[in-house]
Amino acid sequence: MSEAMRDAFGKKLAELGATHPELVVLDADVSSSTKSALFGKAFPDRFFNIGVAEANMVDIAAGMATAGYHPVVNAFAIFLALKATDQIRNTICYNNLPVIIAGAYGGLSDSFDGASHQSITDIAIMRALPNMQVIVPSDAAQAQQALEYALTQKGPVYIRLNRNPMPDLPPIAKIGTVRCSEGTDVTIAANGITASFANEAAALLAKDGIKAEVFSAPMVKPLDVKPLIESVAKTGKLLCVEEHVLAGGFASAVSEVFMKEGISCRFDAIGIEDMFTESGPYEPLLAKYGISAQNIADHARSLCK
């Protein structure tokens, strides 16, 4: 089991602070939860606790970006994507400023706090903003790679981070769509932490003689879709999985490209339907909304009939 993304991200922030003097971190009074406090302890003069004022924090980060800094704004995903949307759009994206928006506790991972804190629409919101890149890491290592990548970019990047430890996936050289297992019967494209469940589903399917080709696909915008297109040319079937509402998220992004390119295949998607989610233990909650190895396997079997 990997360490939690938030822990890995916090450690990487502190590590990169030593080699990137332009890196500054802003937090909205939740640094003990986001783990940006690790950076604050190492570099107190470059860490700013703005308080519970996400919109103001984003505007401050934008101002810093115009002065040669590379700010990381770290707070809960739900509040960055909703309370600070106007500022992210008008100050950061409109001016194409190098600000990293690190949304902690993404998806259902703030599970016990219920719908008010569960971020299930952030990907749709962020990928709709011009100039914004969107990354949803699948494990702790990908979270650190996402930060390293974002620091090389000249414009804004949104990184959605998960609260809970998740299994390690095969290492990747750079952030992008990576094949976790080879198969010829069905392609499973899993965004974020759903990749772990997709790998388990592939093992279940193998018992039935169904060979699933599983991909971890953290890069939502720009979408790294070429490996999926190549796989679907072989399997003829595609199942997308995401920890997000189905409207406007990862599956929507994939579908848009496939339709535009004229790629035909049997298609299905697993995500949260048009509803608010409830509170509870994380993995049982995910399963309630269809994000489980068993449900992924069941949908894949249906595609293969």
Side-chain angles (χ1 to χ4, degrees):
M1 185 69 73
S2 167
E3 66 179 329
M5 277 187 210
R6 59 176 180 159
D7 293 312
F9 192 83
K11 290 176 184 177
K12 182 58 72 170
L13 272 177
E15 176 187 320
L16 292 173
T19 54
H20 290 71
E22 76 283 5
L23 176 61
V24 292
V25 177
L26 298 84
D27 204 295
D29 207 27
V30 287
S31 62
S32 62
S33 297
T34 65
K35 303 304 180 182
S36 68
L38 297 173
F39 182 92
K41 184 177 181 180
F43 305 98
D45 294 339
R46 289 153 58 191
F47 177 78
F48 305 90
N49 178 11
I50 308 303
V52 186
E54 290 84 1
N56 189 38
M57 178 172 64
V58 165
D59 275 345
I60 293 170
M64 288 180 162
T66 67
Y69 294 101
H70 204 143
V72 174
V73 175
N74 202 183
F76 285 17
I78 184 73
F79 303 129
L80 288 172
L82 296 178
K83 291 185 176 183
T85 316
D86 184 30
Q87 290 72 23
I88 291 172
R89 177 191 184 274
N90 289 327
T91 60
I92 292 178
C93 291
Y94 184 75
N95 296 293
N96 199 25
L97 295 174
V99 178
I100 300 166
I101 310 292
Y105 287 54
L108 299 175
S109 66
D110 197 358
S111 60
F112 286 105
D113 285 337
S116 65
H117 284 59
Q118 292 162 2
S119 191
I120 59 173
T121 59
D122 55 322
I123 297 168
I125 292 167
M126 291 296 176
R127 84 175 186 94
L129 296 173
N131 294 324
M132 181 68 79
Q133 297 187 56
V134 179
I135 308 173
V136 188
S138 301
D139 64 4
Q142 286 187 15
Q144 293 183 328
Q145 287 176 305
L147 177 58
E148 290 177 317
Y149 167 83
L151 278 171
T152 69
Q153 300 304 293
K154 303 300 184 182
V157 180
Y158 176 69
I159 304 173
R160 186 215 249 192
L161 301 167
N162 190 274
R163 178 184 184 276
N164 301 62
M166 298 300 294
D168 289 319
L169 294 174
I172 56 177
K174 62 179 182 178
I175 283 291
T177 302
V178 60
R179 184 167 52 208
C180 298
S181 65
E182 295 189 21
T184 55
D185 297 322
V186 59
T187 302
I188 303 176
N191 180 240
I193 58 93
T194 69
S196 298
F197 297 100
N199 282 339
E200 292 177 32
L204 295 175
L205 292 166
K207 295 177 181 178
D208 298 333
I210 298 173
K211 297 177 181 178
E213 187 148 278
V214 176
F215 290 88
S216 166
M219 184 68 84
V220 178
K221 182 188 177 187
L223 185 64
D224 183 17
V225 76
K226 184 180 178 182
L228 302 182
I229 292 174
E230 293 173 348
S231 178
V232 167
K234 176 175 55 178
T235 66
K237 308 169 197 73
L238 174 62
L239 174 61
C240 290
V241 191
E242 60 187 309
E243 187 189 12
H244 187 270
V245 294
L246 287 172
F250 171 70
S252 293
V254 173
S255 299
E256 290 162 15
V257 173
F258 270 52
M259 290 296 289
K260 187 175 181 179
E261 298 294 327
I263 298 166
S264 178
C265 67
R266 296 197 67 186
F267 176 81
D268 196 3
I270 294 173
I272 298 163
E273 301 293 338
D274 187 23
M275 63 180 67
F276 287 102
T277 46
E278 61 188 66
S279 61
Y282 185 44
E283 291 207 16
L285 198 62
L286 288 172
K288 178 180 175 67
Y289 298 102
I291 302 167
S292 68
Q294 187 61 58
N295 192 52
I296 295 170
D298 290 344
H299 278 250
R301 287 191 196 96
S302 295
L303 281 176
C304 292
K305 289 181 179 176

